[in-house]
Amino acid sequence: MGASTDPTLALACDLIRRPSLTPDDAGCQDVLIQRLQALDFTIQHLPYGEVSNFWAQRGKARPLLVLAGHTDVVPAGPLEHWHSPPFEPTVRAGYLYGRGAADMKGSLAAMITACERLITAEPDHQGSIGFLVTSDEEGPALDGTARVVEWLQGQGVIIDACLLGEPSSHQQLGDAVRNGRRGSLSGCLEIQGVQGHVAYPQQVRNPIHAAGAIIDALASEIWDQGNAFFPPTSFQISNIHAGTGADNVVPDRIEIQFNFRFCTESTVDALQTRTQQLIDAGLAPAELRSGQHFSHRLQWRLAGRPFVSTPGRLATAVSSAVNHECGYCPELSTAGGTSDGRFIAPTGAEVIELGPVNASIHQVNERVAVADLCTLSRVYEHILRTMVCCEPAS
Ligand SMILES: [Zn+2]
C-alpha cells in the first residue's frame, strides 16, 4: 500500500483541511463521528456554549478504555513563514505538514484507523471503547473535556483507563509518554509607592526598592522537593513593569508577574500563603528604613492543577505496545504544559498521553512523519487489543 493511500494519512489530511481554530470544530467531529457510527458506536453530541464535543461508546462492559483528544488547533501564525499553506495538508520528504498534524489530528486519525482494524478483527471485544473529543483544549477549556467528564459522571459512566493523543514524544515516536502534568499558577503583584523627584528622597516612596527583597526571597525559595513523578515546583518571574521613562522620576508603582509550575507536593493554598508571607517579610525592611507603609495587591490565576496517574494496566499495555512496534520502551514523564488529562485523572481513571513527536507543535510548518502516523495507529491498536480483548488482569 502506497503512502498516498494509507488510511491514517488520508484521514489526517481530511482533518487538517478543516481550519478548526478553537473553539470552531469546522466539521472535523462529523468526519470522526461518521467513521465511528459505521463501527456501531453510540454517539452523544455534547455542545456547550461555542464548543463542540462528543462522546462515543461501543459496548457496556468494563474495562472501559477511552481514547481522548481535541479537534481544535492554535492559529497558524505568520503565513509567509509556512512553506505550504497551514490548512492544505502537504507531504514533503516523508513528513505531513499542516496545522494540527502533530497536535493532534494525526493522533485522532490513528485512533480511528486503529479502532477500524481492531473491531473488524474482534467485533465482540470483551471490554468497551469510548471516544471523548472536544474542540476546546487549546483555549480556555471550560466547556470542553471538563464538561463532558461531568456529564459522564452524571450518567454513571466509569472510565477505567484513558489514552490521550497529545504529542508526548521527544525524538522518536513513543520514546516518552506522560502519566501526569504539573499545575500552572500565575500571580501578579503590584506594589504602590509615591511618585516624585529623585532629588527629594524624603518626598517619595520608591516601590522598585521595596520590590528588591521580595524578588530575591521568592526567587530563592525552595517550594518543595518534588517526588518520584515530578521535579521540584519552580517559580519564575516573567514580567516587571515600573518607571515613567524619565531618569529623574521615582514611579508610583511596580508590577511583577510570575508563574509557578507546581507538582503534587504543593497545594495552591500553600503556594499562595507562602508567597504572601515572603512579600510581607520582604516589605518589612523597606518600611522600617523609610518609616512608610507600602500597600500592595496580589492577584492569582489558576490555569490548571497538577495531576498524576499511578502507572497500572494501561501503562503496562502502552509500554509493551511501543516496545513491540518501535523496539524500545517509553520513558514515563510529567513534562510539558497542562493537558485535558487534568480533568479525567480525578475520576480515578488511569491516564496516559501518547502521541507524535512534539518538536514542531504550535510552530509554523508543524509536521509529523508519515511513517509515524502508521506506526502510531498500530501502537494504538495493540493497546486497544490488550485493554479490551483480554480478560482483565485481577
Ligand atoms: Zn494538544
Side-chain angles (χ1 to χ4, degrees), residues 118 122 125-127 313 384-391:
L118 179 93
E122 307 272 356
H125 51 83
Q126 172 163 354
R313 218 178 139 226
L384 278 160
R385 192 176 294 277
T386 312
M387 294 298 289
V388 304
C389 294
C390 313
E391 292 286 339

Side-chain angles (χ1 to χ4, degrees), residues 94-362:
Y95 284 90
L96 169 62
Y97 287 82
R99 175 56 84 226
D103 186 10
M104 55 170 280
K105 291 177 170 178
S107 309
L108 289 171
M111 285 172 170
I112 295 283
T113 55
C115 273
E116 288 173 342
R117 288 192 311 275
L118 179 93
I119 290 167
T120 306
E122 307 272 356
D124 303 317
H125 51 83
Q126 172 163 354
S128 21
I129 307 170
F131 267 82
L132 194 173
V133 179
T134 180
S135 72
D136 179 16
E137 194 275 344
E138 304 287 7
L142 296 173
D143 287 329
T145 300
R147 297 290 297 270
V148 179
V149 167
E150 230 175 78
W151 181 86
L152 287 170
Q153 291 193 299
Q155 300 289 308
V157 175
I158 295 166
I159 301 175
D160 292 289
C162 176
L163 184 62
L164 259 167
E166 289 296 345
S168 61
S169 306
H170 297 314
Q171 313 273 343
Q172 285 178 287
L173 181 71
D175 60 359
V177 301
R178 298 202 176 104
N179 67 322
R181 299 266 192 144
R182 290 177 297 177
S184 172
L185 174 67
S186 293
C188 182
L189 168 65
E190 188 184 298
I191 304 170
Q192 278 112 26
V194 173
Q195 180 176 326
H197 198 298
V198 292
Y200 300 86
Q202 61 282 19
Q203 289 173 18
V204 301
R205 210 177 303 163
N206 193 327
I208 300 177
H209 294 185
I214 296 172
I215 293 171
D216 188 44
L218 289 172
S220 47
E221 177 73 0
I222 293 168
W223 305 89
D224 57 50
Q225 303 288 342
N227 57 32
F229 295 116
F230 290 98
T233 290
S234 83
F235 166 92
Q236 291 295 326
I237 293 175
S238 55
N239 289 282
I240 291 186
H241 296 117
T244 63
D247 67 0
N248 59 353
V249 178
V250 169
D252 72 337
R253 69 190 59 228
I254 182 169
E255 188 187 89
I256 302 166
Q257 291 174 352
F258 54 88
N259 178 268
F260 287 101
R261 288 301 155 116
F262 64 107
C263 72
T264 46
E265 294 298 305
S266 287
T267 63
V268 172
D269 254 12
L271 293 175
Q272 290 178 336
T273 304
R274 186 72 190 130
T275 301
Q276 187 63 64
Q277 286 168 349
L278 291 171
I279 291 168
D280 292 338
L283 281 175
E287 293 185 334
L288 206 66
R289 222 167 32 236
S290 62
Q292 292 167 319
H293 174 67
F294 287 90
S295 60
H296 71 274
R297 196 163 55 131
L298 184 55
Q299 288 174 302
W300 293 100
R301 193 177 69 83
L302 177 64
R305 292 177 195 279
F307 74 90
V308 68
S309 172
T310 308
R313 218 178 139 226
L314 179 59
T316 308
V318 165
S319 197
S320 87
V322 171
N323 193 16
H324 188 264
E325 297 296 337
C326 308
Y328 42 81
C329 279
E331 170 208 352
L332 268 183
S333 127
T334 55
T338 65
S339 87
D340 274 2
R342 70 187 190 271
F343 303 122
I344 302 166
T347 68
E350 185 189 354
V351 177
I352 299 272
E353 301 178 17
L354 163 60
V357 173
N358 54 35
S360 66
I361 62 169
H362 295 207

